[in-house]
Amino acid sequence: MPAKLRLMARSTGKKAKKPAPNTMWGGRFTVPPAAAMTAINASVSFDKRLAAQDIAGSKAHAAMLAKKKIITVSDNAKIQQGLDKIAAEIRAGGFVFSDALEDVHMNIEARLAERIGEPARRLHTARSRNDQVATAFRLWVREALTHFDAALEDLQKALIVQAERNAATAMPGLTHLQPAQPITFGHHLLAYVEMLGRDRSRAQAARARGNECPLGAAALAGTPFPIDRAMTAKALGFAAPCANSLDAVSDRDFALDYIYCAAVTAMHLSRLAEEMVIWSSPQFGFVQLPDAWTTGSSIMPQKRNPDAAELVRGKAGRVFGALGGMLAMLKGLPLAYNKDTQEDKEGLFDTAATIMLCLTAMTGMAKGMKADKARMLAATERGFLTATDLADWLVRKLNMPFRDAHHVTGRAVKLAEQKNRRLDQLKLADLRKIEPRVTADVFKALSVQTSLRARTSFGGTAPENVKAAARDARRKYLSARKGRA
Ligand code: ARG
């Protein structure tokens, strides 16, 4: 036999020792799937994470079937008990998942049949695995969004506490990573609290948008059985059933929303992580990261490496990858269900594990980091941070147009640079050579503390503002832990 034919024979299972075709759908098949077919088809190794959600969906479905007299009350009772027992088996780690049964849904249904017999075979009336998996996955993602939101709140809290401690801690504010103007460390940290606040509102919106129930869409077209989709939707805590059966079984934008939310957060966390790496380097020395979130080197005894921060920075990449992967997988799929969408899970599960771990690590670092206020203050003395304050003084006291004041200040900075002095260490006589109308009270304006205190515009860095902003952030973000499903 030519090699090509031999291969085909093997892949169609002709040489196999006649194991039975799949018991769940094998009625029209005469030979079992090729080994690699089973391998490519099986998802149970990863979708077993949906077991609790699958069982919840099946229980709601069976109860509705009984209520609508599609199955008997006694069959429903057996199904409910059987599923509860299986849930306990799975929790106890005693459940054996089999690749031959493809996915978590068929594994559980097959086990139910082992336990209760015929009633189990009525459970799949008026539903399909297509609406079954869409329902279970939505339940999983919904819960993941709730945990995500809570973890974001934990990090916000840690940052707010540090901001309160450092409301008046002066540090150099940077643009282009170059010294720009004095700011407070508290103000800097509260910037992240705002970013995380938007991350939370994105997560809450995603949760609300995805909170519709696909169950009862059946394979794609609905079902002739007199089901009550509102009843199952309500039992599972959804706001409503999905309005269109084709949409219900085929779209995965709710999963995409989750990954996008996580990707934005991963991006935000990577920025804070990068700052922690910079701040904790001896050259900066602005913060010390806690022992519990740093590591030593096996060769250089002096080292304290910010590995956790670096990993948070690095792990953003795999979350972005999952987002691209999910978009590419969904692109161009015709309605309705396609097996491609089985590929929606691993990227999302990995994203969830990654982002939750990153949030835990970041919260640990944020809680335990210690600001070195003296080092930060010393750093404000380099880089002419109050040059803008000098220009502002010229505008206000001498009524100079800002562009002219900018030019005069530039010359003062050049002079200070030549003399290797700070701006406030220049002599009044030197400044008067540049602008004769300058008076001695200009020096007050050149101090870092005056500069900070003056920035009282809404959202500005003045210590009084930062204290108030921290209070507002507490009220806005940390008040209502309750009311979360
Ligand atoms: N494991 C499948 C998935 O995740 C379940 C749906 C399979 N449906 C089907 N008709 N083959 O998408």
Side-chain angles (χ1 to χ4, degrees), residues 25 41-44 46-47 50 102-105 128-134 219 252 337-345:
W25 45 250
N41 207 28
S43 55
V44 69
F46 52 87
D47 69 16
L50 300 178
E102 285 184 32
D103 58 22
V104 64
H105 319 289
S128 143
R129 260 190 303 154
N130 299 348
D131 57 336
Q132 192 180 352
V133 66
R252 294 292 183 269
Y337 177 84
N338 299 274
K339 194 66 173 253
D340 312 47
T341 54
Q342 180 162 285
E343 291 291 311
D344 59 5
K345 295 177 195 71

Side-chain angles (χ1 to χ4, degrees), residues 276-277 280 287-291 293-294 304 306 309 365 368-370:
M276 285 180 167
V277 170
S280 66
V287 303
Q288 197 183 79
L289 294 176
D291 278 0
W293 296 100
T294 48
R304 173 199 281 283
M365 287 186 279
M369 70 178 175
K370 285 208 174 58

